[in-house]
Structure formats: C-alpha cells, structure tokens
Amino acid sequence: MNAPTPARTPQEETVLVTGGAGFIGTTMSADLVRTFGRVVALDNLHPQVHARPERPAELAEGVELVVGDVTDPAAWDALLADVRPDVVIHLAAETGTGQSLTESTRHAEANVVGTTQMLDGLRRAGVRPRRIVLSSSRAVYGEGAWRRADGTLFLPGQRTAEILQRHEWDFPGAEPVAMAAATTRPAPVSVYGATKLAQEHIITSWANSEGVEAVVLRLQNVYGPGQSLTNSYTGIMALFCRLAREGASIPLYEDGAVRRDFVLVDDVARALLAAATAADPGSDPIDIGSGEHQTIADAARLIARFYGAPDPHVTGQYRQGDVRHAWADVTRAREVLGWAPQVSLAEGVDRLARWVDEQQGA
C-alpha cells in the first residue's frame, strides 16, 4: 500500500461516495462539490430506489457518476484504476428492517460483502484513503437500554413473537433511555441491524490495521425531500404523506405510542460532511438524530393535518424486528463534529409534504 500523503485541504482531495446517487447522496452532493476538488459517486441505480436507471436530476452537476455495484470486484478495479479517493463516504446499503428478515442474503450481500469488496478493491489498487466515513444505523442498538424504577439500566433484548402477539408493547416497570454509543451496547434485533454492525466492525478493523481513519455515524430515522415514494422500506414518513394525500387515515402499528427520532436528511447530510472534513472526529461511533423523540402518532397527526386527512388510527398490528423506542443522544456529535440538528419535525414535515405534492403534480 502507498504511504499516506501529506495533509491537504479538501479542495485538493477526491471524495468517493458509494450509493452516491441515492437519497442521502444526492442531498449532500452539492455541498460535496463545493467542498472537495473531485467528487465521484458509485451507484448501481437499483430499481427499488430509482424508478429509471438514469442519473438523478437531484445529483449535483459536478459529481462524476459511475454506475456499478459495490459487490462486484470488477467494478471496483475499473473505478480505482482512475479514482484514488482521499476520503470515502460509504452510504451504499440495502435498508429495511422488515425486508431484511425475508431477504437476508440480499442484505448481507450488499451490506457485508459490498463492504469487504470495497476494502479488497482498495487493497488491490494500492489505495489508502485518509478517512472512511460509514453511514451506519441506530438499528445496531436493537431495543437499546431501559431504566428500571430504581435507576439501574438493563438491556431487555428482542421482543419475541409471543410477547408481540400478546400486545405487550413495553417492558414493564421500565422506561427507555436515549441511544448513545458510549453507554448503549449494540444488540441488533433485525438482520439489517446485524449487517450494519458487521459493517462497522469490518471497516474499523481494516482501517486500524491500515492506518486509515474510520468515522462511524449511527443515524436515526432519516426522512425528507428526495425520499423514495415507491419504496416502502426506506421510511414511513413518505408513506404517511402518500396515504394522507389520498385522503386516507394513516394506520399506526402497535398502540401508536412507538417513539422515534426523525431527523431531516439535510441535517444528516451536514453531519456526514462534518465527519468527512472534521480535523479530529475521534474513533468512537457518533449518534446522529434530532436529539428528541416523537411518537409515531404525533408524526402522523402532523402529516394528516397538512393534508386535511382523517385522524390516524391504531391498528394493533406489529412488525417483527421493529424496536419499541429509539432516539439519539447527540452530545458527542456536538462535541467532536461541531454539529447540531437544525430542523424541527414540524418544519421537516412541511418540507417533505410540499415536495411530495410537487412530485405528484399538485
């Protein structure tokens, strides 16, 4: 491997973004072009994300799009023959908690093998990036930590099928706490979460052995303009908008009191850019979210009010692999990245709904 090059400014560097034509990649593309000297996106334009196999209009003009699959070693060899990235932002992944339980191999292939193929490709090409930034997920925590009435913390583990069938949504005598890498041990309860945790371990162990900086961001529920309106596995907010726009009552799983941390994609894009450019982001995972939780019912009501749709309704249905509550402690992101969320849920819902209307020709 080549020795690391002397420190340069981002304007002199090349950044490679895997999955760079997707939801988050297109959102941050203009900022990347303004920040780095060369921006290259590798994306397979998967039909579950891209209605047409063509360059997205939202991808900034200065981005060089290379169509290829992260699981294909030939794609890596061809790419790295021309591109020698100083920074890699690894976004490429199969998402979807529920889908990962029925298409486990597909998720493992993209998330785990895709990551190892990337690292092997870098090794074959003799390319040692200065930094790799991984877009990970709060799914690595599973149910996270809960606090008993006496103040002690415990990890309740996965809610079993029997528990869910009895509609025992919460863990009796305890309250959930915010997810933080420093205090919450990862314990994924879905195949997706397990593959994201594997990504973290693979990248950090490889990076440590090669003298490469590895920065892991664990993202909460990302939503906003640009989100797929046809892929139900990329998040519920766009689905809620579509239902409410059609005048339907939004169905709420469990009892509607599931808590989530909805963070606008613009805030996530800023966090990833900060992780790519910060002088010293450290080596510990960094949690990214709004820093507060909302119930699914609260989010659904905001969307229903925007469209004048009927009130949401509780169905009592549930989905295996879903966690009960999840939100981030963003203290470390503030400290090491100088980053903080800027957009409230109400403003974010307004932006998303207006964008959905534009896409649907309203």
Side-chain angles (χ1 to χ4, degrees):
M1 299 288 279
N2 294 338
T5 56
R8 298 185 294 168
T9 65
Q11 289 79 12
E12 300 172 295
E13 292 187 319
T14 295
V15 61
L16 170 64
V17 188
T18 69
F23 175 37
I24 297 175
T26 54
T27 301
M28 66 183 306
S29 61
D31 283 338
L32 288 173
V33 170
R34 285 189 288 266
T35 303
F36 287 92
R38 185 182 185 188
V39 182
V40 181
L42 175 66
D43 202 294
N44 67 355
L45 302 181
H46 196 287
Q48 185 165 293
V49 178
H50 301 271
R52 294 179 297 277
E54 59 190 35
R55 182 187 180 98
E58 298 82 7
L59 189 64
E61 288 186 9
V63 177
E64 302 171 40
L65 175 62
V66 176
V67 178
D69 198 305
V70 291
T71 65
D72 180 7
W76 281 110
D77 290 344
L79 172 69
L80 295 171
D82 172 60
V83 180
R84 304 185 73 81
D86 300 281
V87 176
V88 176
I89 301 176
H90 191 36
L91 304 179
E94 288 286 356
T95 63
T97 300
Q99 186 181 32
S100 73
L101 296 174
T102 59
E103 298 186 47
S104 302
T105 300
R106 175 179 163 188
H107 281 70
E109 183 75 16
N111 300 354
V112 179
V113 177
T115 299
T116 57
Q117 290 286 16
M118 174 181 72
L119 300 178
D120 287 347
L122 290 169
R123 182 80 185 187
R124 285 193 302 274
V127 176
R128 183 187 293 174
R130 174 176 61 81
R131 180 176 296 174
I132 298 177
V133 178
L134 172 64
S135 169
S136 188
S137 170
R138 56 93 178 158
V140 303
Y141 291 120
E143 288 289 349
W146 287 56
R147 179 176 286 112
R148 298 185 181 92
D150 63 4
T152 59
L153 293 177
F154 72 104
L155 300 175
Q158 184 170 1
R159 294 181 296 170
T160 65
E162 291 76 15
I163 288 174
L164 293 172
Q165 287 167 5
R166 293 196 298 267
H167 288 192
E168 296 176 2
W169 309 128
D170 287 298
F171 296 97
E175 284 291 324
V177 299
M179 294 171 167
T183 57
T184 310
R185 179 173 61 82
V189 298
S190 68
V191 172
Y192 168 66
T195 63
K196 296 302 289 185
L197 186 58
Q199 276 189 321
E200 293 187 13
H201 291 321
I202 290 166
I203 285 179
T204 54
S205 60
W206 185 92
N208 287 338
S209 69
E210 296 294 341
V212 173
E213 298 172 346
V215 185
V216 174
L217 301 190
R218 291 174 175 168
L219 311 182
Q220 293 284 327
N221 287 56
V222 186
Y223 76 101
Q227 197 163 20
S228 174
L229 299 179
T230 58
N231 180 7
S232 60
Y233 297 104
T234 59
I236 62 171
M237 299 295 270
L239 173 63
F240 282 2
C241 285
R242 195 169 75 232
L243 290 170
R245 191 174 184 276
E246 294 169 355
S249 169
I250 298 170
L252 303 175
Y253 276 22
E254 301 189 14
D255 58 356
V258 171
R259 301 182 214 177
R260 288 292 182 268
D261 184 336
F262 296 104
V263 56
L264 191 71
V265 65
D266 303 73
D267 280 337
V268 170
R270 289 191 305 102
L272 284 161
L273 183 62
T277 58
D280 184 15
S283 58
D284 295 328
I286 303 169
D287 295 283
I288 301 296
S290 69
E292 60 184 22
H293 58 75
Q294 309 280 347
T295 67
I296 296 293
D298 288 337
R301 289 189 194 101
L302 282 172
I303 293 171
R305 282 201 294 269
F306 180 93
Y307 287 105
D311 287 339
H313 65 283
V314 172
T315 68
Q317 293 175 284
Y318 57 87
R319 189 172 64 173
Q320 294 288 347
D322 272 351
V323 301
R324 177 60 173 171
H325 303 301
W327 75 96
D329 179 342
V330 298
T331 302
R332 178 167 169 75
R334 296 177 189 270
E335 292 174 348
V336 302
L337 298 182
W339 173 91
Q342 295 181 348
V343 183
S344 68
L345 180 62
E347 181 182 345
V349 164
D350 186 78
R351 291 189 195 181
L352 172 62
R354 292 183 187 281
W355 175 82
V356 170
D357 282 350
E358 291 174 3
Q359 303 308 302
Q360 301 296 326

